[in-house]
Each structure stands twice: as structure tokens, then as C-alpha cells.
Amino acid sequence: MANHKSALKRIRQAKVRNERNRYQGKTTRNAISKLRSTTEKKEAQDLLPKVVTMIDKLAKNNIIHKNKAANLKSKLTKHVSAL
């Protein structure tokens, strides 16, 4: 168990941040899978900018690596343009 007030606070902060990061990551993964399963081009084109924004936010906050974000965006853009 932590012995200092600051250590207790850091534990609380880490717990809150971990939950927030997990929520944002899961929400983005759901949006990505929804985009990948879309077969209509118009709907996919409307959804793509929103998903790209979500991916960029995850990369900015170091929830995912910037190269992974770039790879995801590239693959999704390719998928939408191939529809």
C-alpha cells in the first residue's frame, strides 16, 4: 500500500486515466469495425472523417502509436475508395 499522500493521488489519477483511455480506444475500435463492415460508399465517406479524427486523438494522447494511427488511416481510406 502507498505510504504518501502523493502516491495515493497518483493511484487515483492513473485509475481515472486508464478507464478513460480504455473507453476511447474501445469506442474507436467499434467505429473502425463499423466502417470496415460498411458496403455503401456514401455512408462510408460520411463516416471516414469522424473515424480519422478519433484515431488522430488517440495518437495525440499516446493511447496508440502514431505509426499505427497512420497505418489505420491509410487502410481505411483505401477501403473506402475501393467501394
Side-chain angles (χ1 to χ4, degrees), residues 51-79:
V51 173
V52 167
T53 303
M54 294 169 83
I55 293 171
D56 285 335
K57 285 180 183 174
L58 291 182
K60 184 181 82 170
N61 294 326
N62 291 322
I63 298 171
I64 61 172
H65 195 272
K66 63 177 185 171
N67 291 353
K68 178 175 177 145
N71 289 336
L72 283 171
K73 292 191 294 186
S74 172
K75 288 176 183 176
L76 290 174
T77 306
K78 247 173 125 172
H79 169 72

Side-chain angles (χ1 to χ4, degrees), residues 4 7 15-16 22-23 32 55 59 65:
H4 298 284
K15 183 179 176 187
V16 169
R22 283 178 57 209
Y23 171 77
I32 289 170
I55 293 171
H65 195 272

Side-chain angles (χ1 to χ4, degrees), residues 32-48:
I32 289 170
S33 64
K34 182 179 178 186
L35 178 60
R36 282 190 177 137
S37 66
T38 303
T39 55
E40 296 178 23
K41 187 169 179 97
K42 177 68 175 148
E43 185 181 344
Q45 285 176 334
D46 292 339
L47 199 57
L48 182 66

